[in-house]
Amino acid sequence: MEYLNKDDIFELIDSLSSDVVSFDRVRPHNKGEIRKSASMDRRELKEFIAGAIEEEHQPGGNIEIFIPLINKILVGQHDGVYWLESNN
């Protein structure tokens, strides 16, 4: 797995067609995972991600953002690392 840097992540976010980005928040739970839908405007999301990378902590658990241009999911882990996964 290859981790993405901030510039790569921002480029992916900028490829999205909407100024409001919808994503899933994913939290582990002893009976599976808990998923909740959320959204932020593009600027807020970039600030959130930049802070998570800098602080090595992403509040609220993991996030998953579908990137239609490449048909992959941008995953942001609770410890502020990001990577792409296949959309299967």
Side-chain angles (χ1 to χ4, degrees):
M1 173 183 339
E2 182 180 332
Y3 296 129
L4 302 174
N5 64 40
K6 185 170 63 172
D7 292 335
D8 294 334
I9 297 164
F10 287 2
E11 187 175 323
L12 290 168
I13 291 170
D14 286 338
S15 78
L16 300 171
S17 60
S18 175
D19 286 334
V20 176
V21 179
S22 297
F23 56 92
D24 288 333
R25 289 191 177 272
V26 184
R27 296 191 62 132
H29 188 269
N30 61 352
K31 295 182 181 179
E33 58 187 26
I34 299 171
R35 291 183 164 271
K36 292 185 179 179
S37 296
S39 63
M40 288 185 197
D41 74 40
R42 195 184 313 240
R43 180 189 51 77
E44 289 175 323
L45 182 59
K46 286 179 174 181
E47 289 174 3
F48 177 78
I49 289 171
I53 292 169
E54 185 176 311
E55 296 172 21
E56 297 180 347
H57 173 73
Q58 179 172 272
N62 298 352
I63 63 171
E64 295 182 357
I65 305 169
F66 177 61
I67 310 293
L69 184 67
I70 58 173
N71 195 31
K72 294 198 178 217
I73 297 172
L74 173 63
V75 177
Q77 197 171 39
H78 61 88
D79 57 0
V81 295
Y82 295 79
W83 66 87
L84 291 170
E85 289 185 355
S86 296
N87 181 34
N88 293 341

